[in-house]
Amino acid sequence: MRVSIDKAAELLTAGEVVAVPTETVYGLAASLTNPYAISEIYSLKGRPANNPLIIHLSAPQQIENFASIIPEGFYSLAEAFWPGPFTVVLPIFTDKVPASACAGLPTGAFRVPNHPLARRLIDITGPLVMPSANLSGRPSATCVEHVEKDFGSHFPVLDGGACTCGVESTILYWQQGEQKWQVARLGAIAPEAFQSVLKYLPDVIDASMGGKKPLCPGQLYRHYAPEATLTLARMIPEGAQGVVVGFEDRSYPAGCRVIALGRSSDPETAAHRLYAVLRRLDQEGIGQAWVDIDFPEEGLWLTLKERLIKASKCL
Ligand code: TXA
Ligand code: MG
């Protein structure tokens, strides 16, 4: 059920869960002050209880109400990347954040989104927790139809159109001991973009990219996955049949049907389309698809590769 911003605010204030657009993906929102609504998010998504949620604020300064450490460099990052697809994980005052929002951890994740409706809504309701608005483990939702597919047409959703980025925020994690930031989840902002602000390139800690134990509990699980079995390949073998998720400016074996992520020089469009393409495989009842991952090892391409690796594996 599509609701107005006033209705969305009314429902959230009354302790309901509402789907809300952001520039990355749609989120399933609840008021940070309502532990019952927060637990409803976990049950609606089928989300493991040890996977914490991101707290969405409408202005960077609000973080001071929750974070017990504001590291040097934080406000430079906030100025460069907020509002936007950027999340920080910092130590928190544990009495200021419901334990369910941060899964009992002594840290919290914070983001100021850049979607005008999300920001106006948070201005009215106060901070909202929002995981991506998809069933746990499934591809994220980048338009209202995706939310309705997962939660039903009666579920309240604020329609903000198609999400511009199409992949989730990049998460930077503050390592207090080492006094440095690390990338805990690749996302819409490439790690290289942080270098000019931080004066160093933050390490990417991600098991699927050959890294160490993940810093985000959510990275432990199978994610973003359609029903279809995905076979990732840098070169689709000659004689292959069936569907290829690939690029409109590349050629593939004659027996293949191509579902395009865009052009091979355009990672932004590929990111924007990624979850819609994965969802389309299921809509069309496609059981197996090749995926062309002949990507450069840099920038937003790394995020796309990470999402596809997670979507293709049974973890
Ligand atoms: O773009 C986004 O970030 C979207 C939109 C809706 O804002 N949200 C999103 O939320 O992607 P979700 O729940 O799908 O992913 C949040 C990730 C999970 O991997 C979770 O483990 C991690 O953030 N996370 C949250 N709090 C954390 C914490 N205190 N420490 C480490 N990781 C944390
Ligand atoms: Mg998610």
Side-chain angles (χ1 to χ4, degrees):
M1 182 192 19
R2 303 184 188 191
V3 296
S4 66
I5 189 159
D6 291 339
K7 183 70 184 171
E10 184 191 316
L11 291 168
L12 287 162
T13 308
E16 304 278 325
V17 175
V18 178
V20 171
T22 83
E23 75 281 23
T24 58
V25 298
Y26 274 71
L28 218 49
S31 169
L32 178 66
T33 58
N34 192 319
Y36 300 101
I38 295 174
S39 61
E40 182 63 10
I41 285 184
Y42 283 86
S43 73
L44 280 164
K45 277 182 65 88
R47 184 178 178 103
N50 66 353
N51 191 7
L53 308 175
I54 298 176
I55 299 164
H56 293 68
L57 310 171
S58 59
Q61 298 73 7
Q62 293 164 6
I63 204 166
E64 307 218 0
N65 300 327
F66 307 106
S68 58
I69 292 170
I70 306 289
E72 202 190 311
F74 164 77
Y75 276 107
S76 311
L77 287 167
E79 195 170 314
F81 299 106
W82 275 350
F86 166 57
T87 295
V88 288
V89 177
L90 292 175
I92 49 168
F93 301 117
T94 46
D95 57 339
K96 299 276 173 58
V97 178
S100 55
C102 53
L105 294 172
T107 54
F110 302 90
R111 166 161 122 81
V112 179
N114 193 22
H115 194 291
L117 288 179
R119 295 189 74 201
R120 267 173 50 210
L121 185 65
I122 300 167
D123 266 336
I124 306 171
T125 59
L128 296 174
V129 293
M130 278 201 256
S132 50
N134 53 275
L135 297 172
S136 196
R138 314 292 295 164
S140 305
T142 53
C143 62
V144 167
E145 289 75 15
H146 296 165
V147 177
E148 289 173 342
K149 175 80 181 59
D150 283 12
F151 299 103
S153 56
H154 294 295
F155 194 82
V157 49
L158 178 58
D159 186 356
C163 302
T164 47
C165 300
V167 291
E168 292 82 350
S169 60
T170 302
I171 302 181
L172 283 193
Y173 188 104
W174 175 247
Q175 291 287 10
Q176 176 65 10
E178 298 164 57
Q179 293 281 299
K180 65 176 192 188
W181 298 94
Q182 293 181 326
V183 177
R185 179 179 69 181
L186 291 162
I189 299 174
E192 296 89 324
F194 296 108
Q195 195 161 6
S196 61
V197 178
L198 296 177
K199 310 294 177 221
Y200 59 88
L201 183 63
D203 291 335
V204 179
I205 311 296
D206 189 303
S208 72
M209 307 298 280
K212 309 176 210 161
K213 186 173 173 286
L215 297 168
C216 292
Q219 299 294 81
L220 291 165
Y221 303 108
R222 187 177 190 216
H223 244 123
Y224 321 114
E227 296 287 346
T229 304
L230 302 179
T231 309
L232 311 188
R234 290 186 72 89
M235 165 98 94
I236 311 301
E238 238 2 274
Q241 304 269 322
V243 167
V244 174
V245 173
F247 297 94
E248 60 204 30
D249 54 339
R250 286 191 181 158
S251 50
Y252 298 104
C256 292
R257 176 184 150 218
V258 183
I259 298 184
L261 289 166
R263 296 180 68 77
S264 61
S265 54
D266 182 0
E268 280 80 18
T269 299
H272 176 72
R273 289 189 190 170
L274 177 70
Y275 294 128
V277 165
L278 296 182
R279 284 172 172 268
R280 185 169 153 196
L281 298 176
D282 289 348
Q283 253 166 26
E284 294 191 21
I286 294 162
Q288 192 273 334
W290 295 95
V291 185
D292 175 357
I293 54 151
D294 188 12
F295 300 160
E297 294 288 321
E298 61 185 23
L300 193 52
W301 290 114
L302 282 181
T303 301
L304 286 160
K305 190 166 171 189
E306 183 266 346
R307 297 296 193 268
L308 286 164
I309 289 172
K310 291 216 172 66
S312 68
K313 259 197 208 155
C314 286
L315 291 180

mmCIF file of all heavy atoms in Angstrom, residues 238-240 252-257:
data_model
loop_
_atom_site.group_PDB
_atom_site.id
_atom_site.type_symbol
_atom_site.label_atom_id
_atom_site.label_comp_id
_atom_site.label_asym_id
_atom_site.label_seq_id
_atom_site.Cartn_x
_atom_site.Cartn_y
_atom_site.Cartn_z
ATOM 1 N N GLU A 238 32.637 -21.162 -25.119
ATOM 2 C CA GLU A 238 32.068 -21.392 -26.453
ATOM 3 C C GLU A 238 31.052 -22.524 -26.340
ATOM 4 O O GLU A 238 31.289 -23.487 -25.617
ATOM 5 C CB GLU A 238 33.203 -21.814 -27.395
ATOM 6 C CG GLU A 238 33.427 -20.950 -28.640
ATOM 7 C CD GLU A 238 32.554 -19.729 -28.813
ATOM 8 O OE1 GLU A 238 31.450 -19.892 -29.369
ATOM 9 O OE2 GLU A 238 32.961 -18.636 -28.400
ATOM 10 N N GLY A 239 29.940 -22.395 -26.999
ATOM 11 C CA GLY A 239 28.950 -23.475 -26.975
ATOM 12 C C GLY A 239 28.010 -23.389 -25.779
ATOM 13 O O GLY A 239 27.076 -24.191 -25.660
ATOM 14 N N ALA A 240 28.234 -22.393 -24.871
ATOM 15 C CA ALA A 240 27.325 -22.249 -23.717
ATOM 16 C C ALA A 240 25.918 -21.910 -24.223
ATOM 17 O O ALA A 240 25.761 -21.280 -25.275
ATOM 18 C CB ALA A 240 27.835 -21.148 -22.795
ATOM 19 N N TYR A 252 28.662 -12.751 -27.045
ATOM 20 C CA TYR A 252 28.617 -13.996 -26.282
ATOM 21 C C TYR A 252 28.288 -15.143 -27.222
ATOM 22 O O TYR A 252 27.842 -14.914 -28.352
ATOM 23 C CB TYR A 252 27.561 -13.858 -25.171
ATOM 24 C CG TYR A 252 27.905 -12.754 -24.186
ATOM 25 C CD1 TYR A 252 27.235 -11.524 -24.230
ATOM 26 C CD2 TYR A 252 28.915 -12.925 -23.252
ATOM 27 C CE1 TYR A 252 27.570 -10.494 -23.347
ATOM 28 C CE2 TYR A 252 29.262 -11.895 -22.368
ATOM 29 C CZ TYR A 252 28.588 -10.696 -22.418
ATOM 30 O OH TYR A 252 28.935 -9.692 -21.552
ATOM 31 N N PRO A 253 28.472 -16.414 -26.793
ATOM 32 C CA PRO A 253 28.171 -17.547 -27.671
ATOM 33 C C PRO A 253 26.765 -17.452 -28.269
ATOM 34 O O PRO A 253 25.830 -16.965 -27.614
ATOM 35 C CB PRO A 253 28.296 -18.751 -26.737
ATOM 36 C CG PRO A 253 29.249 -18.308 -25.673
ATOM 37 C CD PRO A 253 29.003 -16.846 -25.480
ATOM 38 N N ALA A 254 26.635 -17.913 -29.488
ATOM 39 C CA ALA A 254 25.406 -17.700 -30.273
ATOM 40 C C ALA A 254 24.150 -18.238 -29.592
ATOM 41 O O ALA A 254 23.066 -17.653 -29.739
ATOM 42 C CB ALA A 254 25.575 -18.338 -31.647
ATOM 43 N N GLY A 255 24.293 -19.315 -28.815
ATOM 44 C CA GLY A 255 23.096 -19.919 -28.212
ATOM 45 C C GLY A 255 22.593 -19.183 -26.975
ATOM 46 O O GLY A 255 21.635 -19.626 -26.342
ATOM 47 N N CYS A 256 23.214 -18.083 -26.627
ATOM 48 C CA CYS A 256 22.869 -17.418 -25.352
ATOM 49 C C CYS A 256 21.948 -16.224 -25.555
ATOM 50 O O CYS A 256 22.042 -15.510 -26.547
ATOM 51 C CB CYS A 256 24.137 -16.933 -24.667
ATOM 52 S SG CYS A 256 25.165 -18.271 -24.077
ATOM 53 N N ARG A 257 21.079 -16.034 -24.562
ATOM 54 C CA ARG A 257 20.258 -14.819 -24.516
ATOM 55 C C ARG A 257 20.868 -13.891 -23.465
ATOM 56 O O ARG A 257 21.164 -14.342 -22.353
ATOM 57 C CB ARG A 257 18.838 -15.228 -24.095
ATOM 58 C CG ARG A 257 17.923 -14.074 -23.930
ATOM 59 C CD ARG A 257 16.553 -14.534 -23.419
ATOM 60 N NE ARG A 257 15.981 -13.463 -22.641
ATOM 61 C CZ ARG A 257 15.292 -13.615 -21.545
ATOM 62 N NH1 ARG A 257 15.039 -14.828 -21.059
ATOM 63 N NH2 ARG A 257 14.811 -12.578 -20.902
#
